[in-house]
Amino acid sequence: MKTKKSKTYKALNAVLGPVVRPYAAQTIQRLMGFHLLWHMLGGEKALRDLGWDPVTVWRNRKEFASTFGVSVEEGFPELADFARSIGVGQEIV
């Protein structure tokens, strides 16, 4: 089903889309990596034990919640379960 998009939307997308997309993709990838590490290693304490600064962990948690609308603890647990099931992250521990 096609939706109608306004001329303003189309114009903004044409101008800003190519500029914004690379930064958005990089942010999503970074936050999903943070999410996987969080779940696979066991949360904040495990990340700090690996040498992450507490402020860095806090900022990533805040940005994750702001971006995805859920906390890192609640968000996408099936992705972390799948990664664990195929052995991703075992070399980290």
Side-chain angles (χ1 to χ4, degrees):
M1 182 168 122
K2 270 193 149 180
T3 59
K4 281 185 140 182
K5 296 194 174 154
S6 71
K7 289 180 182 180
T8 304
Y9 174 86
K10 289 178 183 177
L12 284 173
N13 192 39
V15 173
L16 295 178
V19 174
V20 173
R21 263 185 220 108
Y23 295 104
Q26 182 181 19
T27 298
I28 298 299
Q29 289 172 358
R30 180 177 52 77
L31 290 174
M32 291 309 294
F34 171 73
H35 168 268
L36 283 174
L37 281 174
W38 178 278
H39 284 280
M40 293 172 66
L41 299 177
E44 183 173 352
K45 182 178 180 332
L47 291 173
R48 285 191 281 126
D49 289 347
L50 278 176
W52 284 49
D53 187 276
V55 174
T56 301
V57 175
W58 178 82
R59 284 183 188 146
N60 278 284
R61 289 180 72 186
K62 183 177 177 184
E63 188 175 8
F64 186 92
S66 167
T67 301
F68 296 110
V70 294
S71 69
V72 71
E73 295 92 341
E74 299 169 351
F76 318 117
E78 63 280 356
L79 293 178
D81 291 342
F82 174 74
R84 267 189 235 102
S85 75
I86 62 172
V88 173
Q90 291 178 354
E91 61 276 358
I92 295 174
V93 179

